[in-house]
Amino acid sequence: GELPFWLTPTQMKLLPVTDSVQDYCKEVAAKANKMGLRVEVDRGNERLAKQIRNAEQGRIPVMAVVGVKEMEQGTLAVRSRKEGDLGSFDVDDLLAELKRCDDVAEEMTKMGEVPKKEEEEN
């Protein structure tokens, strides 16, 4: 069966696209863990498609694809196991929303309500 978000052993898995973003992933995971969220970083040894498939098969409710662009912008490209691709979110906004969902025992279907990071105007 599928556990609700607040009960899953791993609530979010960070999926690094390259080795150069591993440290950023570890920083995000540490920040999330301090907030009481259960977040892991994938080793990143597999192709991205396989990392996503493995996380989905492991019933991880939220995945975040992390590349150089996300690292530079302080964002995460978020995927929900139930909803698919949700777009790019500011790390702090996303973690706050995940913490809120964890605290009130709410499913991640509300995930899309996190305000998307607007493109900076130059």
Side-chain angles (χ1 to χ4, degrees), residues 9-73:
T10 302
Q11 294 170 313
M12 180 169 73
K13 187 163 250 188
L14 300 172
L15 310 174
V17 176
T18 70
D19 288 342
S20 64
V21 298
Q22 279 283 354
D23 288 339
Y24 175 68
C25 288
K26 289 175 184 172
E27 288 172 25
V28 172
K31 184 185 273 191
N33 291 330
K34 281 183 185 173
M35 295 172 71
L37 295 168
R38 297 177 299 281
V39 175
E40 295 178 357
V41 178
D42 193 279
R43 292 186 316 272
N45 296 343
E46 307 284 348
R47 293 181 338 271
L48 181 59
K50 188 159 187 180
Q51 287 181 41
I52 292 170
R53 188 173 65 248
N54 289 344
E56 287 176 346
Q57 288 175 343
R59 302 195 189 282
I60 309 296
V62 180
M63 296 148 268
V65 176
V66 184
V68 174
K69 181 177 123 184
E70 287 77 19
M71 181 177 72
E72 289 172 350
Q73 295 178 355

Side-chain angles (χ1 to χ4, degrees), residues 62-65 76-80 84-89 94 111:
V62 180
M63 296 148 268
V65 176
L76 295 173
V78 181
R79 288 186 59 84
S80 163
D85 187 18
L86 297 174
S88 217
F89 295 91
L94 176 65
M111 182 65 191

